[in-house]
Structures are given as structure tokens and as C-alpha cells.
Amino acid sequence: SAVISQKPSRDICQRGTSLTIQCQVDSQVTMMFWYRQQPGQSLTLIATANQGSEATYESGFVIDKFPISRPNLTFSTLTVSNMSPEDSSIYLCSVGYTFGSGTRLTVV
Amino acid sequence: TQLLEQSPQFLSIQEGENLTVYCNSSSVFSSLQWYRQEPGEGPVLLVTVVTGGEVKKLKRLTFQFGDARKDSSLHITAAQPGDTGLYLCAGGGNNRKLIWGLGTSLAVNP
């Protein structure tokens, strides 16, 4: 199975700023997924990122707030834009059934 | 809309006890996965079940997929403190977008 390197592992950010989360996969994959998770709770899919096309966003998530890049088949980024305390959460990328270790974001 | 109902949401037991976690749906899934997640880490896949009636064992963990592929269970025998974590079930769709249960937070007390 794929190995995913996700960073940063955690960050504390000021409201109104943006944070970009990176995921690097050790093999080429077509689809990557971005999730949000409150600690101890289930996962909510933000968007599906395909290489060479725009990401597909789930209901409640928009590109202006969560822009995604997918420049090649091994890399993707998720940006959390104009952050507010409500964006404090864990953000995870996945490939198939394999997940990155997550980014714990706290917005103050 | 496909939904997965997972229960119980919280479980606190003593070391050595047995427990069962359930995932139920009114929809048929092509496959169902069970994950375990520890704090500060992403979910780690424990097992995938794909055949109705399938039973898989992973040491003290037994996974079962219902005959109609609408439900699944995870049974842990003689739980240990190392089993503590968040257990998640997820149903696989044909487009690989997973449908997630709400999770079961398990605490095994020594």
C-alpha cells in the first residue's frame, strides 16, 4: 500500500490567515481525498483531487475556502483560507484506504 | 444517500472483557472497511470485507460482513489497554468515495 507523508503535523494560526497542507505519496495515484475530522469523531470528506482537473468538492465546502492543487500524480495540497476558529480541526489526506498522519490545526 | 450507523459511540470496559461494535446500513456496499485511529495519527486500515457472510480474523479481532452486505461487526475478545482508540467503519462505493460511520471511541482500562 502507498505511504503518505503529510505536513505540517500541527499548527497554530491567527484568524484571517491561510495555511497550506501538503501530502506526498510514494507512488503515482489517480485520486487523492481530503478530509476534516474533529478529535474523536468521524471523517467528513472535503473534496476529491484528481490530477489534471479541478477538485470535486462535497456539499458545504467551496473552492474559495479550500483551494486544492494537484500538480502531479504524487502530490497534493489543501489550503485553508481566511481562517476562523471554526476551522480548527484535524485535516487528513488519503489515497485509497491509506491515510496521512493528519494536520491538527488550531485557529486563534 | 448512503448512511452507515455505527454503535456504540462510546465504550469503556475493563481489560479482559469482550466487546462488539456494529455498523448498519439500509444500503448495499461493495466492500466495507474497519479502521483504528490513535490520537495524533491518521486512521489505519484493519480489514476490508467484500463478500456477504465473510468472516475475517486478525488475532483477537473478528470481523463479519452481513449476508446482504448491508452491515458489519467487529468483535474484540479479551480486550487489552493497547486496543484503546477510535474504531471507524467505512463503506466503499464504486467511485472509491467512502461512506463513514460516526466512530466508536473505545477505552480499555487496566
Side-chain angles (χ1 to χ4, degrees), chain A residues 31 33 35 37 40-43 45 48 58 92 96-97 99-102 104, chain B residues 31 33 35 37 40-43 45 48 86 88 95-98 100-102:
Chain A
M31 297 170 73
F33 300 90
Y35 289 89
Q37 181 185 32
Q41 298 185 20
S42 190
L43 282 70
L45 182 64
T48 303
E58 297 299 304
L92 295 147
Y97 304 135
F99 284 80
S101 55
R104 181 181 285 264
Chain B
S31 66
Q33 296 79 41
Y35 294 82
Q37 184 179 22
E41 299 292 331
L45 180 67
T48 298
L86 179 68
L88 295 155
N95 62 359
R96 302 295 297 277
K97 189 168 75 171
L98 299 176
W100 292 86
L102 291 180

mmCIF file of all heavy atoms in Angstrom, chain A residues 31 33 35 37 40-43 45 48 58 92 96-97 99-102 104, chain B residues 31 33 35 37 40-43 45 48 86 88 95-98 100-102:
data_model
loop_
_atom_site.group_PDB
_atom_site.id
_atom_site.type_symbol
_atom_site.label_atom_id
_atom_site.label_comp_id
_atom_site.label_asym_id
_atom_site.label_seq_id
_atom_site.Cartn_x
_atom_site.Cartn_y
_atom_site.Cartn_z
ATOM 1 N N MET A 31 -6.460 9.343 -7.730
ATOM 2 C CA MET A 31 -7.349 10.123 -6.875
ATOM 3 C C MET A 31 -6.757 10.270 -5.474
ATOM 4 O O MET A 31 -6.256 9.309 -4.895
ATOM 5 C CB MET A 31 -8.719 9.442 -6.773
ATOM 6 C CG MET A 31 -9.459 9.331 -8.101
ATOM 7 S SD MET A 31 -10.917 8.288 -8.000
ATOM 8 C CE MET A 31 -12.009 9.369 -7.075
ATOM 9 N N PHE A 33 -7.859 12.148 -1.636
ATOM 10 C CA PHE A 33 -9.008 12.664 -0.912
ATOM 11 C C PHE A 33 -8.538 13.530 0.251
ATOM 12 O O PHE A 33 -7.545 13.222 0.906
ATOM 13 C CB PHE A 33 -9.856 11.508 -0.368
ATOM 14 C CG PHE A 33 -10.380 10.592 -1.445
ATOM 15 C CD1 PHE A 33 -9.643 9.490 -1.855
ATOM 16 C CD2 PHE A 33 -11.603 10.825 -2.043
ATOM 17 C CE1 PHE A 33 -10.112 8.643 -2.846
ATOM 18 C CE2 PHE A 33 -12.087 9.986 -3.027
ATOM 19 C CZ PHE A 33 -11.340 8.897 -3.432
ATOM 20 N N TYR A 35 -9.907 15.190 3.896
ATOM 21 C CA TYR A 35 -10.943 15.058 4.921
ATOM 22 C C TYR A 35 -10.716 16.071 6.038
ATOM 23 O O TYR A 35 -9.597 16.522 6.280
ATOM 24 C CB TYR A 35 -10.898 13.660 5.554
ATOM 25 C CG TYR A 35 -11.369 12.525 4.694
ATOM 26 C CD1 TYR A 35 -10.480 11.848 3.867
ATOM 27 C CD2 TYR A 35 -12.694 12.101 4.735
ATOM 28 C CE1 TYR A 35 -10.896 10.786 3.097
ATOM 29 C CE2 TYR A 35 -13.122 11.026 3.968
ATOM 30 C CZ TYR A 35 -12.215 10.379 3.158
ATOM 31 O OH TYR A 35 -12.637 9.316 2.401
ATOM 32 N N GLN A 37 -11.671 16.267 10.310
ATOM 33 C CA GLN A 37 -12.102 15.418 11.416
ATOM 34 C C GLN A 37 -11.961 16.173 12.722
ATOM 35 O O GLN A 37 -10.887 16.687 13.039
ATOM 36 C CB GLN A 37 -11.252 14.139 11.474
ATOM 37 C CG GLN A 37 -11.643 13.183 12.570
ATOM 38 C CD GLN A 37 -10.707 11.996 12.687
ATOM 39 O OE1 GLN A 37 -9.516 12.096 12.419
ATOM 40 N NE2 GLN A 37 -11.243 10.851 13.105
ATOM 41 N N GLY A 40 -11.725 12.645 17.926
ATOM 42 C CA GLY A 40 -12.609 11.626 18.470
ATOM 43 C C GLY A 40 -13.864 11.391 17.668
ATOM 44 O O GLY A 40 -14.712 10.586 18.074
ATOM 45 N N GLN A 41 -13.980 12.055 16.529
ATOM 46 C CA GLN A 41 -15.186 11.913 15.722
ATOM 47 C C GLN A 41 -14.846 11.354 14.346
ATOM 48 O O GLN A 41 -13.694 11.110 14.024
ATOM 49 C CB GLN A 41 -15.906 13.252 15.606
ATOM 50 C CG GLN A 41 -16.384 13.795 16.947
ATOM 51 C CD GLN A 41 -17.199 15.058 16.795
ATOM 52 O OE1 GLN A 41 -17.726 15.350 15.717
ATOM 53 N NE2 GLN A 41 -17.298 15.819 17.863
ATOM 54 N N SER A 42 -15.882 11.174 13.549
ATOM 55 C CA SER A 42 -15.691 10.569 12.240
ATOM 56 C C SER A 42 -15.138 11.580 11.239
ATOM 57 O O SER A 42 -14.908 12.744 11.559
ATOM 58 C CB SER A 42 -17.007 9.992 11.753
ATOM 59 O OG SER A 42 -16.796 9.208 10.600
ATOM 60 N N LEU A 43 -14.918 11.107 10.029
ATOM 61 C CA LEU A 43 -14.311 11.926 8.989
ATOM 62 C C LEU A 43 -15.384 12.527 8.085
ATOM 63 O O LEU A 43 -16.382 11.872 7.778
ATOM 64 C CB LEU A 43 -13.375 11.081 8.131
ATOM 65 C CG LEU A 43 -12.004 10.750 8.705
ATOM 66 C CD1 LEU A 43 -12.090 9.777 9.861
ATOM 67 C CD2 LEU A 43 -11.089 10.210 7.625
ATOM 68 N N LEU A 45 -15.635 14.212 4.296
ATOM 69 C CA LEU A 45 -14.903 14.424 3.051
ATOM 70 C C LEU A 45 -15.057 15.868 2.600
ATOM 71 O O LEU A 45 -16.177 16.377 2.504
ATOM 72 C CB LEU A 45 -15.421 13.473 1.965
ATOM 73 C CG LEU A 45 -14.736 13.541 0.612
ATOM 74 C CD1 LEU A 45 -13.266 13.127 0.731
ATOM 75 C CD2 LEU A 45 -15.450 12.660 -0.404
ATOM 76 N N THR A 48 -12.370 15.644 -3.513
ATOM 77 C CA THR A 48 -11.585 14.643 -4.218
ATOM 78 C C THR A 48 -10.697 15.368 -5.220
ATOM 79 O O THR A 48 -11.189 16.187 -6.008
ATOM 80 C CB THR A 48 -12.496 13.657 -4.961
ATOM 81 O OG1 THR A 48 -13.380 13.058 -4.014
ATOM 82 C CG2 THR A 48 -11.688 12.582 -5.657
ATOM 83 N N GLU A 58 -17.364 18.501 -1.868
ATOM 84 C CA GLU A 58 -18.588 17.986 -1.263
ATOM 85 C C GLU A 58 -19.464 19.164 -0.818
ATOM 86 O O GLU A 58 -18.992 20.308 -0.692
ATOM 87 C CB GLU A 58 -18.257 17.104 -0.064
ATOM 88 C CG GLU A 58 -17.458 15.866 -0.447
ATOM 89 C CD GLU A 58 -18.208 14.979 -1.418
ATOM 90 O OE1 GLU A 58 -19.345 14.552 -1.104
ATOM 91 O OE2 GLU A 58 -17.650 14.696 -2.503
ATOM 92 N N LEU A 92 -6.927 15.619 6.993
ATOM 93 C CA LEU A 92 -6.268 14.384 6.577
ATOM 94 C C LEU A 92 -6.363 14.237 5.065
ATOM 95 O O LEU A 92 -7.392 14.551 4.459
ATOM 96 C CB LEU A 92 -6.950 13.171 7.212
ATOM 97 C CG LEU A 92 -6.861 13.045 8.727
ATOM 98 C CD1 LEU A 92 -8.112 12.395 9.280
ATOM 99 C CD2 LEU A 92 -5.647 12.227 9.110
ATOM 100 N N GLY A 96 -6.742 5.854 -1.603
ATOM 101 C CA GLY A 96 -7.350 4.551 -1.390
ATOM 102 C C GLY A 96 -7.751 4.402 0.064
ATOM 103 O O GLY A 96 -8.529 5.199 0.589
ATOM 104 N N TYR A 97 -7.208 3.378 0.721
ATOM 105 C CA TYR A 97 -7.535 3.129 2.121
ATOM 106 C C TYR A 97 -6.399 3.536 3.054
ATOM 107 O O TYR A 97 -6.386 3.160 4.221
ATOM 108 C CB TYR A 97 -7.851 1.646 2.317
ATOM 109 C CG TYR A 97 -8.958 1.147 1.417
ATOM 110 C CD1 TYR A 97 -8.834 -0.063 0.734
ATOM 111 C CD2 TYR A 97 -10.125 1.876 1.231
ATOM 112 C CE1 TYR A 97 -9.840 -0.512 -0.101
ATOM 113 C CE2 TYR A 97 -11.131 1.421 0.398
ATOM 114 C CZ TYR A 97 -10.985 0.228 -0.264
ATOM 115 O OH TYR A 97 -11.988 -0.219 -1.090
ATOM 116 N N PHE A 99 -4.085 6.606 4.858
ATOM 117 C CA PHE A 99 -4.203 7.984 5.276
ATOM 118 C C PHE A 99 -2.847 8.568 5.667
ATOM 119 O O PHE A 99 -1.957 7.846 6.139
ATOM 120 C CB PHE A 99 -5.136 8.096 6.487
ATOM 121 C CG PHE A 99 -6.578 7.967 6.122
ATOM 122 C CD1 PHE A 99 -7.146 6.727 5.907
ATOM 123 C CD2 PHE A 99 -7.371 9.095 5.980
ATOM 124 C CE1 PHE A 99 -8.484 6.607 5.544
ATOM 125 C CE2 PHE A 99 -8.706 8.985 5.627
ATOM 126 C CZ PHE A 99 -9.254 7.743 5.406
ATOM 127 N N GLY A 100 -2.741 9.894 5.487
ATOM 128 C CA GLY A 100 -1.646 10.616 6.087
ATOM 129 C C GLY A 100 -1.866 10.685 7.591
ATOM 130 O O GLY A 100 -2.919 10.310 8.105
ATOM 131 N N SER A 101 -0.866 11.184 8.280
ATOM 132 C CA SER A 101 -0.933 11.220 9.741
ATOM 133 C C SER A 101 -1.745 12.395 10.257
ATOM 134 O O SER A 101 -1.980 12.499 11.461
ATOM 135 C CB SER A 101 0.467 11.259 10.341
ATOM 136 O OG SER A 101 1.182 12.349 9.789
ATOM 137 N N GLY A 102 -2.184 13.269 9.366
ATOM 138 C CA GLY A 102 -3.080 14.348 9.783
ATOM 139 C C GLY A 102 -2.349 15.632 10.146
ATOM 140 O O GLY A 102 -1.174 15.629 10.516
ATOM 141 N N ARG A 104 -3.154 18.804 12.657
ATOM 142 C CA ARG A 104 -4.031 19.381 13.688
ATOM 143 C C ARG A 104 -3.892 20.888 13.647
ATOM 144 O O ARG A 104 -2.837 21.439 13.970
ATOM 145 C CB ARG A 104 -3.680 18.856 15.070
ATOM 146 C CG ARG A 104 -4.577 19.404 16.177
ATOM 147 C CD ARG A 104 -4.156 18.868 17.525
ATOM 148 N NE ARG A 104 -4.564 17.476 17.691
ATOM 149 C CZ ARG A 104 -5.672 17.080 18.296
ATOM 150 N NH1 ARG A 104 -6.508 17.968 18.791
ATOM 151 N NH2 ARG A 104 -5.943 15.799 18.425
ATOM 152 N N SER B 31 -17.954 -3.106 -0.594
ATOM 153 C CA SER B 31 -16.960 -3.530 0.390
ATOM 154 C C SER B 31 -17.112 -2.669 1.629
ATOM 155 O O SER B 31 -17.743 -1.613 1.585
ATOM 156 C CB SER B 31 -15.533 -3.397 -0.162
ATOM 157 O OG SER B 31 -15.219 -2.030 -0.375
ATOM 158 N N GLN B 33 -14.809 -1.385 5.172
ATOM 159 C CA GLN B 33 -13.509 -1.364 5.824
ATOM 160 C C GLN B 33 -13.674 -1.008 7.298
ATOM 161 O O GLN B 33 -14.578 -0.270 7.687
ATOM 162 C CB GLN B 33 -12.593 -0.319 5.187
ATOM 163 C CG GLN B 33 -12.242 -0.584 3.736
ATOM 164 C CD GLN B 33 -13.355 -0.175 2.800
ATOM 165 O OE1 GLN B 33 -13.978 0.862 2.982
ATOM 166 N NE2 GLN B 33 -13.625 -0.998 1.805
ATOM 167 N N TYR B 35 -11.289 0.592 10.444
ATOM 168 C CA TYR B 35 -10.058 1.314 10.747
ATOM 169 C C TYR B 35 -9.938 1.493 12.259
ATOM 170 O O TYR B 35 -10.935 1.526 12.975
ATOM 171 C CB TYR B 35 -10.074 2.717 10.130
ATOM 172 C CG TYR B 35 -10.076 2.771 8.623
ATOM 173 C CD1 TYR B 35 -11.245 2.612 7.897
ATOM 174 C CD2 TYR B 35 -8.900 3.028 7.925
ATOM 175 C CE1 TYR B 35 -11.246 2.687 6.519
ATOM 176 C CE2 TYR B 35 -8.888 3.107 6.537
ATOM 177 C CZ TYR B 35 -10.068 2.940 5.849
ATOM 178 O OH TYR B 35 -10.070 3.020 4.480
ATOM 179 N N GLN B 37 -7.868 4.262 14.857
ATOM 180 C CA GLN B 37 -7.126 5.510 14.864
ATOM 181 C C GLN B 37 -6.705 5.857 16.277
ATOM 182 O O GLN B 37 -7.514 5.809 17.208
ATOM 183 C CB GLN B 37 -7.980 6.648 14.288
ATOM 184 C CG GLN B 37 -7.262 7.980 14.160
ATOM 185 C CD GLN B 37 -8.147 9.047 13.557
ATOM 186 O OE1 GLN B 37 -9.372 8.941 13.593
ATOM 187 N NE2 GLN B 37 -7.551 10.097 13.001
ATOM 188 N N GLY B 40 -3.420 11.750 17.224
ATOM 189 C CA GLY B 40 -2.253 12.266 16.523
ATOM 190 C C GLY B 40 -1.862 11.485 15.288
ATOM 191 O O GLY B 40 -0.840 11.784 14.663
ATOM 192 N N GLU B 41 -2.677 10.495 14.951
ATOM 193 C CA GLU B 41 -2.381 9.684 13.771
ATOM 194 C C GLU B 41 -3.602 9.619 12.864
ATOM 195 O O GLU B 41 -4.724 9.886 13.285
ATOM 196 C CB GLU B 41 -1.985 8.258 14.174
ATOM 197 C CG GLU B 41 -0.747 8.177 15.045
ATOM 198 C CD GLU B 41 0.499 8.582 14.292
ATOM 199 O OE1 GLU B 41 0.532 8.398 13.057
ATOM 200 O OE2 GLU B 41 1.449 9.097 14.941
ATOM 201 N N GLY B 42 -3.364 9.253 11.612
ATOM 202 C CA GLY B 42 -4.484 9.012 10.716
ATOM 203 C C GLY B 42 -5.061 7.623 10.953
ATOM 204 O O GLY B 42 -4.439 6.783 11.603
ATOM 205 N N PRO B 43 -6.260 7.366 10.448
ATOM 206 C CA PRO B 43 -6.838 6.021 10.566
ATOM 207 C C PRO B 43 -5.953 4.984 9.877
ATOM 208 O O PRO B 43 -5.392 5.250 8.820
ATOM 209 C CB PRO B 43 -8.185 6.156 9.843
ATOM 210 C CG PRO B 43 -8.478 7.619 9.821
ATOM 211 C CD PRO B 43 -7.154 8.298 9.743
ATOM 212 N N LEU B 45 -5.980 1.123 8.338
ATOM 213 C CA LEU B 45 -6.877 0.081 7.885
ATOM 214 C C LEU B 45 -6.597 -1.228 8.620
ATOM 215 O O LEU B 45 -5.461 -1.697 8.670
ATOM 216 C CB LEU B 45 -6.714 -0.131 6.382
ATOM 217 C CG LEU B 45 -7.590 -1.198 5.752
ATOM 218 C CD1 LEU B 45 -9.069 -0.804 5.800
ATOM 219 C CD2 LEU B 45 -7.171 -1.466 4.307
ATOM 220 N N THR B 48 -10.587 -5.255 5.191
ATOM 221 C CA THR B 48 -11.618 -4.993 4.191
ATOM 222 C C THR B 48 -12.398 -6.280 3.992
ATOM 223 O O THR B 48 -11.804 -7.343 3.802
ATOM 224 C CB THR B 48 -11.000 -4.552 2.853
ATOM 225 O OG1 THR B 48 -10.275 -3.336 3.037
ATOM 226 C CG2 THR B 48 -12.074 -4.333 1.801
ATOM 227 N N LEU B 86 -9.981 4.932 18.512
ATOM 228 C CA LEU B 86 -11.214 5.223 17.783
ATOM 229 C C LEU B 86 -11.341 4.213 16.651
ATOM 230 O O LEU B 86 -10.440 4.094 15.822
ATOM 231 C CB LEU B 86 -11.175 6.649 17.221
ATOM 232 C CG LEU B 86 -12.395 7.089 16.402
ATOM 233 C CD1 LEU B 86 -13.617 7.200 17.298
ATOM 234 C CD2 LEU B 86 -12.111 8.412 15.707
ATOM 235 N N LEU B 88 -13.404 2.984 13.358
ATOM 236 C CA LEU B 88 -14.255 3.556 12.314
ATOM 237 C C LEU B 88 -14.577 2.504 11.266
ATOM 238 O O LEU B 88 -13.702 1.755 10.852
ATOM 239 C CB LEU B 88 -13.538 4.721 11.625
ATOM 240 C CG LEU B 88 -13.250 5.952 12.480
ATOM 241 C CD1 LEU B 88 -12.072 6.724 11.920
ATOM 242 C CD2 LEU B 88 -14.476 6.849 12.533
ATOM 243 N N ASN B 95 -17.106 4.479 -6.808
ATOM 244 C CA ASN B 95 -16.205 5.567 -7.170
ATOM 245 C C ASN B 95 -15.139 5.794 -6.118
ATOM 246 O O ASN B 95 -14.452 6.800 -6.156
ATOM 247 C CB ASN B 95 -16.992 6.853 -7.411
ATOM 248 C CG ASN B 95 -17.731 7.304 -6.163
ATOM 249 O OD1 ASN B 95 -17.670 6.653 -5.128
ATOM 250 N ND2 ASN B 95 -18.428 8.410 -6.268
ATOM 251 N N ARG B 96 -15.001 4.862 -5.196
ATOM 252 C CA ARG B 96 -13.988 4.892 -4.147
ATOM 253 C C ARG B 96 -14.203 5.985 -3.126
ATOM 254 O O ARG B 96 -13.363 6.196 -2.284
ATOM 255 C CB ARG B 96 -12.589 4.985 -4.739
ATOM 256 C CG ARG B 96 -12.231 3.864 -5.676
ATOM 257 C CD ARG B 96 -12.183 2.551 -4.964
ATOM 258 N NE ARG B 96 -11.168 2.502 -3.948
ATOM 259 C CZ ARG B 96 -9.888 2.237 -4.173
ATOM 260 N NH1 ARG B 96 -9.485 2.020 -5.405
ATOM 261 N NH2 ARG B 96 -9.032 2.210 -3.187
ATOM 262 N N LYS B 97 -15.309 6.741 -3.205
ATOM 263 C CA LYS B 97 -15.609 7.694 -2.155
ATOM 264 C C LYS B 97 -16.244 6.907 -1.014
ATOM 265 O O LYS B 97 -17.241 6.227 -1.190
ATOM 266 C CB LYS B 97 -16.567 8.763 -2.667
ATOM 267 C CG LYS B 97 -16.758 9.908 -1.701
ATOM 268 C CD LYS B 97 -17.462 11.073 -2.362
ATOM 269 C CE LYS B 97 -18.927 10.826 -2.550
ATOM 270 N NZ LYS B 97 -19.635 12.047 -3.004
ATOM 271 N N LEU B 98 -15.651 6.993 0.167
ATOM 272 C CA LEU B 98 -16.099 6.172 1.282
ATOM 273 C C LEU B 98 -17.216 6.843 2.064
ATOM 274 O O LEU B 98 -17.237 8.060 2.230
ATOM 275 C CB LEU B 98 -14.918 5.875 2.208
ATOM 276 C CG LEU B 98 -13.755 5.106 1.594
ATOM 277 C CD1 LEU B 98 -12.624 4.963 2.596
ATOM 278 C CD2 LEU B 98 -14.229 3.740 1.122
ATOM 279 N N TRP B 100 -18.720 6.978 5.793
ATOM 280 C CA TRP B 100 -18.145 6.716 7.099
ATOM 281 C C TRP B 100 -19.198 6.589 8.192
ATOM 282 O O TRP B 100 -20.192 7.334 8.205
ATOM 283 C CB TRP B 100 -17.185 7.843 7.482
ATOM 284 C CG TRP B 100 -15.966 7.858 6.623
ATOM 285 C CD1 TRP B 100 -15.821 8.470 5.420
ATOM 286 C CD2 TRP B 100 -14.730 7.194 6.890
ATOM 287 N NE1 TRP B 100 -14.563 8.228 4.918
ATOM 288 C CE2 TRP B 100 -13.874 7.461 5.797
ATOM 289 C CE3 TRP B 100 -14.258 6.415 7.946
ATOM 290 C CZ2 TRP B 100 -12.569 6.962 5.736
ATOM 291 C CZ3 TRP B 100 -12.971 5.929 7.882
ATOM 292 C CH2 TRP B 100 -12.148 6.200 6.787
ATOM 293 N N GLY B 101 -18.975 5.647 9.101
ATOM 294 C CA GLY B 101 -19.725 5.622 10.344
ATOM 295 C C GLY B 101 -19.224 6.736 11.263
ATOM 296 O O GLY B 101 -18.204 7.370 10.986
ATOM 297 N N LEU B 102 -19.923 6.956 12.365
ATOM 298 C CA LEU B 102 -19.582 8.049 13.272
ATOM 299 C C LEU B 102 -18.412 7.708 14.185
ATOM 300 O O LEU B 102 -17.864 8.590 14.846
ATOM 301 C CB LEU B 102 -20.793 8.442 14.115
ATOM 302 C CG LEU B 102 -21.930 9.116 13.339
ATOM 303 C CD1 LEU B 102 -23.081 9.452 14.279
ATOM 304 C CD2 LEU B 102 -21.456 10.368 12.624
#
